[in-house]
Amino acid sequence: MKKTILVLPGDGIGPEITAQAVRVLEAVTEGSDLTLNFVEGVIGGAAYDAAGHPFPEATQVAALAADAVLLGAVGGPQYDSLDRPLRPERGLLGIRAAMGLFANLRPAMLYPQLADASSLKPEVVAGLDILIVRELTGGAYFGQPRGIRTVTVNGQSLREGFNTMHYNELEIERIGRVAFEAAMKRNKKVCSVDKANVLETSELWREVMNRVAKDYPEVELSHMYVDNAAMQLVRWPKQFDVIVTENLFGDILSDQASMLSGSIGMLPSASLNDKGQGLYEPSHGSAPDIAGKGIANPLATILSAAMLLRYSFGRGDLAERIETAVSRVLDQGLRTADICTAADRKVSTIEMGDAVVAALR
Ligand code: NAD
């Protein structure tokens, strides 16, 4: 089997961490019946520098032609003064929309070796394993109309920013199915997070989730308001198995959940469309503060590569080999600076990649 992966390193630490994930993918497929063909492209600020646009036509064509996309991260302070449509983040929104990536899967799990890295008490987070399923192509991030307009308030001319949040039944149903299918392979619990006491979009969201749940009688569905969910995530996160929510709420809750595990440098993500194509990237950003220093943690990207093998290529066996190798490296006490305590051996980005490759072999 031959598959093409488009690698988009992006900005900041992106090139450093994707390089290690590519090495790990090469190592894990060595001698297997899966041959990977890597194609490299530009996105974000790097694409703006090279082609004058954060999501150039060539990247779009390559993304649609690839079997999967592995992305580093985009953004950096040098691009903050650009007009909004040219900002690096628009590259991300662009590729999500172009590939129709409506489902974002973000596991938040705590490796037992890192229990001390969490800011919460070990007993609250030990054994944590939750999956956040975030709707990714709808809601306020994409809704039209949007913009900044001039309005008159009490005779005074003021600028007013406005965004629109809308969801149709189809959009809610398909993300609901992704969550219920995932729960079937886990602990069979889905918590749908909304703000149905205030928002009409949430009222419909809840109604459709209840409808989808009828097709999954083995899965227990609960509903929670987003403000309560934010609180429950730090109070007792282990009550959750799968959380499903809309784009904006999911953006915030998944970052919050990621910190339960100590470092955002550990958490992978997958964004899927309905054709099995996916984009895989770490949950963190481009970390401009440590870019180029060789100290970034590549494990979130390496674990994203494992998700790529599992979800886009149906190779859970190879994904598990990567996950086991990561766990073995942590057992050896190797840590990049973000997860390092006095008792550990501090390693660089490349040394961490070396260690995972060695553990695989
Ligand atoms: P960030 O995730 O880049 O960094 C937050 C903190 O975590 C920083 O201290 C950083 O050094 C640290 N960190 C992040 N990843 C790390 C890793 N792999 N290893 C070690 N430490 C790591 O978030 P930010 O600082 O809010 O944003 C920086 C830039 O990234 C901005 O331009 C933002 O727009 C962009 N961003 C991009 C994405 C993405 O590409 N998906 C996501 C979030 C933010």
Side-chain angles (χ1 to χ4, degrees):
M1 187 170 35
K2 193 168 176 187
K3 297 280 189 187
T4 297
I5 300 178
L6 173 66
V7 182
L8 299 174
D11 308 320
I13 59 170
E16 300 166 60
I17 53 179
T18 46
Q20 300 314 311
V22 167
R23 288 180 64 205
V24 167
L25 281 169
E26 282 169 343
V28 79
T29 50
E30 230 169 55
S32 81
D33 56 349
L34 175 63
T35 307
L36 299 180
N37 170 35
F38 294 97
V39 178
E40 195 164 311
V42 287
I43 195 163
Y48 174 78
D49 292 339
H53 195 277
F55 185 47
E57 179 76 24
T59 303
Q60 180 163 343
V61 170
L64 295 177
D67 297 300
V69 179
L70 180 69
L71 190 139
V74 301
Q78 67 271 46
Y79 305 109
D80 284 352
S81 56
L82 289 175
D83 286 345
R84 202 159 283 277
L86 295 176
R87 295 250 188 102
E89 295 72 20
R90 280 301 166 104
L92 263 189
L93 296 181
I95 197 167
R96 286 172 185 165
M99 293 178 72
L101 302 169
F102 69 93
N104 181 229
L105 275 52
R106 276 175 64 164
M109 48 193 257
L110 185 73
Y111 279 88
Q113 300 94 324
L114 299 179
D116 289 340
S118 175
S119 52
L120 297 191
K121 292 185 195 127
E123 65 265 30
V124 176
V125 288
L128 180 77
D129 180 7
I130 61 184
L131 177 69
I132 299 197
V133 177
R134 165 186 168 197
E135 203 291 326
L136 203 58
T137 49
Y141 290 4
F142 289 92
Q144 295 289 347
R146 62 190 293 162
I148 298 177
R149 61 189 167 201
T150 303
V151 293
T152 305
V153 180
N154 296 334
Q156 194 185 355
S157 177
L158 295 172
R159 290 194 311 145
E160 174 184 81
F162 62 101
N163 292 89
T164 309
M165 183 191 266
H166 53 77
Y167 272 107
N168 64 44
E169 290 172 286
L170 197 86
E171 290 169 319
I172 303 169
E173 180 170 340
R174 66 181 181 175
I175 193 72
R177 290 200 183 279
V178 170
F180 277 89
E181 289 291 335
M184 286 294 286
K185 300 188 191 109
R186 296 172 47 99
N187 292 324
K188 299 193 170 62
K189 275 170 43 177
V190 169
C191 178
S192 171
V193 171
D194 62 35
K195 191 72 185 167
N197 49 344
V198 178
L199 300 173
E200 284 77 6
T201 43
S202 285
E203 204 180 300
L204 185 66
W205 180 278
R206 203 172 265 225
E207 193 187 308
V208 175
M209 285 296 160
N210 283 332
R211 204 162 71 206
V212 173
K214 295 206 174 86
D215 293 338
Y216 299 87
E218 285 171 63
V219 178
E220 176 194 322
L221 170 69
S222 59
H223 300 278
M224 199 179 273
Y225 295 139
V226 62
D227 41 351
N228 186 25
M231 185 180 73
Q232 296 297 335
L233 262 178
V234 286
R235 192 187 70 85
W236 192 243
K238 284 187 269 185
Q239 68 185 281
F240 297 110
D241 176 25
V242 175
I243 290 177
V244 62
T245 191
E246 64 90 42
N247 203 347
L248 170 62
F249 299 160
D251 192 5
I252 299 165
L253 292 183
S254 56
D255 258 30
Q256 188 188 350
S258 71
M259 267 323 284
L260 301 173
S261 70
S263 171
I264 202 163
M266 292 299 300
L267 295 170
S269 82
S271 304
L272 309 174
N273 67 17
D274 49 15
K275 297 184 216 68
Q277 256 186 327
L279 179 141
Y280 301 83
E281 57 178 329
S283 296
H284 57 73
S286 59
D289 52 336
I290 57 166
K293 294 186 178 161
I295 58 170
N297 186 347
L299 293 179
T301 318
I302 289 171
L303 293 168
S304 302
M307 290 185 90
L308 182 157
L309 292 170
R310 177 175 290 122
Y311 289 106
S312 280
F313 299 167
R315 294 304 298 263
D317 56 331
L318 299 178
E320 263 171 44
R321 280 189 59 208
I322 295 179
E323 287 155 358
T324 306
V326 167
S327 191
R328 201 169 298 156
V329 166
L330 294 175
D331 281 339
Q332 292 162 7
L334 303 187
R335 308 275 190 274
T336 43
D338 55 310
I339 50 172
C340 197
T341 65
D344 306 315
R345 208 185 107 204
K346 198 191 278 185
V347 295
S348 68
T349 310
I350 293 176
E351 285 167 333
M352 187 56 104
D354 289 343
V356 177
V357 168
L360 278 172
R361 287 190 174 136

